[in-house]
Amino acid sequence: MTSDEDLMLEFQNGSRDAFEELFARYRQPLYRFFRRRIANDARADDLMQETFLAVIRAKVRYEPRSLVRTYLYGIALKQVMADRRWQARRPVTLLSDQEAATPQSEAPIWVKQALSKLEEMDREILMLREYEELSYAEIAKLLHLPLNTVRSRLFRARLALKTLLAGDVCQ
Amino acid sequence: MPINTHAFSNQEVMAYLDGELSPETAAEITAHLAHCKTCQEIAADLQGVSRQLSGWAVQATDAAGLPAALVAALETRAAEKTVRHRHVSPWRILGNHPWAAVAASLTVLIAGLFFFSSARRPVGYELAPAPMPIQPEQSSVAPMDAPRLQRFANLQSPPKKQETSPLIILTAELRLTARTFDTVRGDLGRILSQFGGHIAQLDIASPTGQARSLTATLRIPAPQLEAALNELRKLGHVEGESRRGEEVTQQSVDLEARLSNSRHTEQRLTEILAARTGKLSDVLEVEEKLAEVRGQIEQAEAEQKSLNNRISLATISLQVNEDYRAPLTGTVSPSIGTRLSNSAMDGLHAAFNGIIGLMQVILAAGPSLLLWGLLLGLPGYFLWKKLRRR
């Protein structure tokens, strides 16, 4: 199977098939990435598409110094940050995101609640490890943190989550 | 979770479970875990957390194939690339025609020799690197076939040049010393009109008895920067030169993302406003938010315009100092004869001045002395004569 990096280089050279293959590989992972961080289903889908649009726009600037996976999640993280900034500035509308959000019947409510109680950076590290299955080094690169910090924060997050989940279960 | 006081820390156990350790260390921990209950508990706790987290599954998106926005973007890119490919590389032409390569080499050689032998090369500066090329603005935008994708069109339609090459704000500083300062101002105007630039700021200082100076901030179309600098260097002797390029690609992308978000909100609010049949207060609230979002859009558009302006027009900070030469104050030493003659003349002048001075004293004090002489001298004379008779 052609590696992601080779596909990206082929796409840089004008291969549309290479892009479609990359899209097929990362469409669902990126959609799930956004879906776990954005309440609105349609918005998550939009952001996934915007991530690939950014890849198309910046294809000449891509350098094979890092994995395509890290590159994509780096763009995706920026999209999430921008969306959160927008949400924070955004006034309360008649139809808020909570109302517009697709019901997440598949999400155990206690898991989401416990995650929401974690410190933001710890939560991001934990989610990148557990759901996106990124390595410590990839997470460190994405979040611009030292590797040891990622490891210690990940451990702290897991420890805190265990306590939080145990508390919920006991209640 | 138990506290681990063993050779392996809790974090190492976690890294082992995450597959982050080297095979050797992993093998050691595997052996350790086989008999250490504390570490087994730690591992079990960590695995339990991961298991619970894995319960949050997300349904896959059901759409199939490339979304229309991506197809449109890909087609736009392909069209741009086709346009670029129409420009046949000169290297390819030379490769296909060896005689042309030889002729070109000779031409370059002769031109180089001519240049180095005849050109007056300014000293004191290094040749600056060529500016980053900015691609011409593209006007073709692929049609979007769904209203929902309008914001993607909005993302695409602003300056296309930003998407294909790094966006660079070019600035340059040039310090010159000019012998013919009087013509500098006129030459500056000529250069600006030649390259379509303008003066953002201009100060001329003309202190008495000192060198004059001209300080100006010039805005030149970025592609013309190098040529304009070449012309400016001819105004005098280059004392210093610096160039800087600030990449603002990320800033531009962020701005576009902000605009996209704001337009998305505006569109959504407009839809809500159109469909809403609720209370009047709700409608008024939506209208208020809509006005606020439009304000944000206008602000972002203004920022984008300003950024584009800074990208399209390079800034040159120019300082021209006059090559000022102070007038000579010393004189040539005179000959001995001249010096003696001068001394004699000085002596005569001094004697004459002495006589004049004495006469001035006599004339000024004479009447008073005569008066006091008569008043005191006559009685004194008679008194002396009377005493002498006795």
Side-chain angles (χ1 to χ4, degrees):
Chain A
M1 191 173 77
T2 314
S3 72
D4 295 343
E5 290 68 36
D6 289 341
L7 283 174
M8 193 66 197
L9 291 175
E10 285 177 26
F11 173 52
Q12 268 190 321
N13 291 327
S15 167
R16 179 170 166 165
D17 291 343
F19 177 80
E20 289 186 4
E21 176 61 28
L22 273 176
F23 181 76
R25 286 185 192 180
Y26 283 98
R27 175 183 203 153
Q28 297 300 348
L30 278 174
Y31 172 74
R32 285 195 291 268
F33 172 89
F34 286 117
R35 193 68 186 89
R36 287 196 175 95
R37 289 161 176 82
I38 306 285
N40 189 318
D41 182 23
R43 185 71 187 140
D45 193 51
D46 288 350
L47 289 177
M48 182 269 292
Q49 292 187 35
E50 284 180 22
T51 301
F52 282 103
L53 274 175
V55 171
I56 294 172
R57 285 199 296 265
K59 74 171 180 179
V60 292
R61 293 198 298 273
Y62 171 77
E63 292 176 10
R65 286 183 302 190
S66 60
L67 296 173
V68 169
R69 183 168 71 153
T70 317
Y71 178 62
L72 286 173
Y73 281 120
I75 298 173
L77 261 180
K78 285 184 180 171
Q79 300 275 13
V80 169
M81 300 296 177
D83 191 75
R84 282 179 185 161
R85 282 199 299 273
W86 170 65
Q87 292 286 355
R89 286 197 305 269
R90 181 180 163 224
V92 178
T93 60
L94 296 181
L95 190 64
S96 71
D97 259 1
Q98 291 304 319
E99 292 168 284
T102 311
Q104 295 190 351
S105 55
E106 73 274 21
I109 190 70
W110 59 87
V111 172
K112 286 186 68 182
Q113 280 180 347
L115 278 171
S116 69
K117 288 175 185 170
L118 293 180
E119 193 186 319
E120 189 176 354
M121 185 61 81
D122 291 359
R123 180 171 63 244
E124 199 55 67
I125 292 171
L126 182 62
M127 290 177 76
L128 286 171
R129 174 62 217 163
E130 292 288 348
Y131 295 121
E132 277 67 53
E133 297 179 351
L134 298 189
S135 70
Y136 294 179
E138 286 175 304
I139 296 170
K141 188 168 185 179
L142 268 184
L143 300 178
H144 306 292
L145 292 172
L147 191 64
N148 285 337
T149 306
V150 168
R151 195 163 77 164
S152 58
R153 277 181 171 261
L154 181 61
F155 185 77
R156 188 171 73 184
R158 279 172 166 157
L159 200 67
L161 198 71
K162 176 184 174 292
T163 310
L164 288 166
L165 288 171
D168 280 338
V169 170
C170 290
Q171 286 166 11
Chain B
M1 192 173 291
I3 303 300
N4 192 345
T5 55
H6 299 168
F8 300 104
S9 68
N10 292 342
Q11 290 182 22
E12 282 176 313
V13 174
M14 179 189 75
Y16 163 75
L17 294 174
D18 284 334
E20 292 279 338
L21 297 180
S22 64
E24 296 78 24
T25 316
E28 288 174 22
I29 293 190
T30 306
H32 178 74
L33 274 173
H35 59 79
C36 178
K37 286 197 183 302
T38 311
C39 289
Q40 284 171 6
E41 280 179 36
I42 292 166
D45 285 345
L46 291 171
Q47 285 169 328
V49 170
S50 294
R51 208 164 29 251
Q52 283 185 288
L53 281 172
S54 65
W56 183 6
V58 173
Q59 285 180 353
T61 176
D62 48 0
L66 274 184
L70 298 181
V71 172
L74 283 170
E75 285 171 0
T76 308
R77 288 284 146 190
E80 287 172 2
K81 191 168 184 184
T82 307
V83 169
R84 278 200 296 271
H85 279 183
R86 283 177 193 157
H87 301 289
V88 181
S89 164
W91 301 113
R92 182 171 296 178
I93 294 172
L94 294 176
N96 292 337
H97 304 283
W99 55 266
V102 173
S105 304
L106 284 173
T107 308
V108 169
L109 186 64
I110 293 166
L113 286 172
F114 177 76
F115 174 78
F116 284 110
S117 62
S118 64
R120 175 177 167 271
R121 186 181 174 189
V123 293
Y125 73 98
E126 293 177 356
L127 290 176
M132 298 288 286
I134 292 180
Q135 303 214 352
E137 212 162 308
Q138 303 291 325
S139 59
S140 59
V141 177
M144 294 286 177
D145 52 358
R148 180 172 169 245
L149 302 175
Q150 184 56 42
R151 62 183 176 284
F152 295 121
N154 292 338
L155 273 173
Q156 300 260 324
S157 55
K160 288 285 178 184
K161 60 192 178 187
Q162 299 183 10
E163 298 167 5
T164 53
S165 64
L167 303 179
I168 311 283
I169 295 175
L170 295 171
T171 53
E173 281 185 20
L174 193 59
R175 290 195 309 281
L176 303 171
T177 303
R179 286 189 177 177
T180 53
F181 188 81
D182 294 331
T183 60
V184 167
R185 178 66 186 88
D187 290 342
L188 197 57
R190 177 183 55 76
I191 292 168
L192 287 173
S193 61
Q194 180 183 348
F195 294 106
H198 66 270
I199 295 174
Q201 190 185 351
L202 176 71
D203 295 309
I204 297 177
S206 306
T208 308
Q210 292 178 30
R212 291 174 290 176
S213 66
L214 178 147
T215 309
T217 305
L218 313 175
R219 304 299 305 280
I220 300 280
Q224 305 288 332
L225 177 63
E226 193 58 35
L229 281 173
N230 283 337
E231 287 297 314
L232 287 171
R233 287 183 196 118
K234 293 175 186 171
L235 295 180
H237 171 72
V238 178
E239 296 286 348
E241 180 175 348
S242 67
R243 299 278 296 274
R244 201 159 68 90
E246 179 191 355
E247 182 169 353
V248 290
T249 314
Q250 187 58 46
Q251 195 179 338
S252 176
V253 169
D254 286 349
L255 207 53
E256 283 182 13
R258 272 173 56 199
L259 261 176
S260 165
N261 286 337
S262 298
R263 284 177 179 139
H264 177 247
T265 311
E266 184 194 22
Q267 184 185 354
R268 195 168 155 194
L269 285 171
T270 310
E271 288 167 5
I272 291 168
L273 200 59
R276 191 74 189 182
T277 54
K279 290 187 294 181
L280 180 60
S281 60
D282 291 346
V283 175
L284 289 175
E285 191 181 356
V286 175
E287 284 183 346
E288 189 182 331
K289 302 308 174 195
L290 193 56
E292 194 175 325
V293 170
R294 282 175 179 157
Q296 290 170 0
I297 290 174
E298 284 170 9
Q299 186 185 354
E301 283 175 343
E303 285 178 29
Q304 194 174 44
K305 191 176 173 185
S306 166
L307 191 64
N308 289 339
N309 179 269
R310 289 173 61 205
I311 293 164
S312 60
L313 291 177
T315 305
I316 301 175
S317 299
L318 176 70
Q319 185 177 3
V320 184
N321 293 318
E322 184 182 16
D323 189 4
Y324 181 75
R325 295 178 188 278
L328 288 175
T329 53
T331 56
V332 180
S333 299
S335 63
I336 294 173
T338 307
R339 286 162 65 187
L340 292 174
S341 168
N342 287 345
S343 299
M345 288 302 294
D346 289 345
L348 283 174
H349 278 296
F352 185 72
N353 287 336
I355 294 167
I356 295 295
L358 181 62
M359 287 172 69
Q360 282 179 326
V361 170
I362 291 169
L363 287 173
S368 300
L369 289 173
L370 188 63
L371 176 65
W372 286 106
L374 290 173
L375 287 177
L376 298 176
L378 283 176
Y381 173 74
F382 290 120
L383 181 63
W384 175 73
K385 208 172 177 181
K386 190 177 177 179
L387 290 174
R388 193 177 171 188
R389 281 179 197 157
R390 289 177 187 175

